[in-house]
Amino acid sequence: MKKSSKKPSYNSNETFGDIVLRSRAAVLTIAILGILLGCVFVFFNESLHMDKVFIFFGIFAMAGGIFLIAYEIGKSAADRAEAERISRRDKRRVRGVDDTALRRANMGIKCKILLEKTVGDYRICYRRVKSTNELIVNGVVYDEMTAVVEFEHDLSATVDGHEIHAGFDDASYSYIAFDGKRVAEKLRMI
């Protein structure tokens, strides 16, 4: 019996720097270095006879480091929550059977339409209402996710045997996919 050595697959357009910056250890290292550099600028300003402008740079570096650490903590919590949400969704889903609707979509409510597409007889809408993202197909909400800060996620539904997905990927794109093919996408800055 042969052992298969699985190598991580990378996007061919990614550079080594993109891969390194995506690793948690690299981001945390950069954050700690930023905080230490900021401390040097702020706390040793008088003894090193630096200009007062360096205090601003020090505060900025420390704030950036703290932000990166908070971002990584939030992202890891969001990744765990998304994995749990997907596992709950997959447990209640029966293969070959359409998903049950959560509710009728309230079209009169204030919302932000992230992406919308009509494919055949299906009008697909991916929107955000307050802190909830919803996947709406023909006026009916099939899947939703609630989060104050959005990280990558995938909402999906099976309607009339068609797999419909909408979400936000790691490259900052909102997308709608119909039967495995992306039919709409838009670069979105959070």
Side-chain angles (χ1 to χ4, degrees):
M1 178 181 255
K2 283 187 174 181
K3 284 187 178 180
S4 64
S5 62
K6 290 187 176 182
K7 292 183 180 177
S9 62
Y10 299 108
N11 184 349
S12 61
N13 296 331
E14 287 182 325
T15 64
F16 178 73
D18 294 335
I19 295 165
V20 168
L21 286 178
R22 211 176 296 142
S23 92
R24 253 189 201 120
V27 172
L28 291 176
T29 302
I30 291 169
I32 291 170
L33 288 175
I35 291 171
L36 291 175
L37 180 66
C39 288
V40 167
F41 281 153
V42 171
F43 297 118
F44 297 117
N45 186 32
E46 292 300 321
S47 63
L48 298 176
H49 304 293
M50 294 190 298
D51 193 9
K52 298 291 183 194
V53 171
F54 286 105
I55 292 176
F56 170 75
F57 289 125
I59 292 171
F60 183 76
M62 285 191 300
I66 291 168
F67 172 77
L68 282 175
I69 290 172
Y71 175 82
E72 278 303 315
I73 291 169
K75 181 159 177 33
S76 65
D79 289 345
R80 282 191 305 273
E82 176 69 3
E84 289 173 14
R85 188 186 71 76
I86 288 174
S87 72
R88 282 193 313 267
R89 178 188 69 194
D90 291 344
K91 283 180 184 175
R92 73 171 187 262
R93 188 173 275 173
V94 179
R95 187 169 175 82
V97 177
D98 290 349
D99 288 345
T100 56
L102 299 176
R103 66 184 172 280
R104 298 276 313 153
N106 184 355
M107 295 303 184
I109 196 167
K110 183 179 176 182
C111 67
K112 180 179 181 183
I113 304 293
L114 301 173
L115 208 52
E116 202 167 19
K117 183 71 174 178
T118 301
V119 180
D121 294 335
Y122 304 98
R123 183 177 173 95
I124 306 164
C125 178
Y126 172 50
R127 72 178 187 175
R128 185 163 177 89
V129 179
K130 295 182 183 176
S131 62
T132 303
N133 289 16
E134 299 176 333
L135 170 61
I136 301 170
V137 180
N138 295 336
V140 178
V141 178
Y142 281 95
D143 199 3
E144 66 183 1
M145 182 213 58
T146 301
V148 176
V149 178
E150 287 183 85
F151 292 101
E152 59 187 89
H153 60 273
D154 180 61
L155 306 176
S156 69
T158 303
V159 180
D160 298 333
H162 297 286
E163 279 288 322
I164 300 170
H165 293 267
F168 185 65
D169 65 12
D170 60 346
S172 296
Y173 278 90
S174 291
Y175 64 88
I176 293 176
F178 189 83
D179 286 336
K181 181 181 175 190
R182 280 199 181 187
V183 293
E185 66 181 8
K186 179 172 105 177
L187 181 63
R188 196 172 107 213
M189 302 311 280
I190 295 177

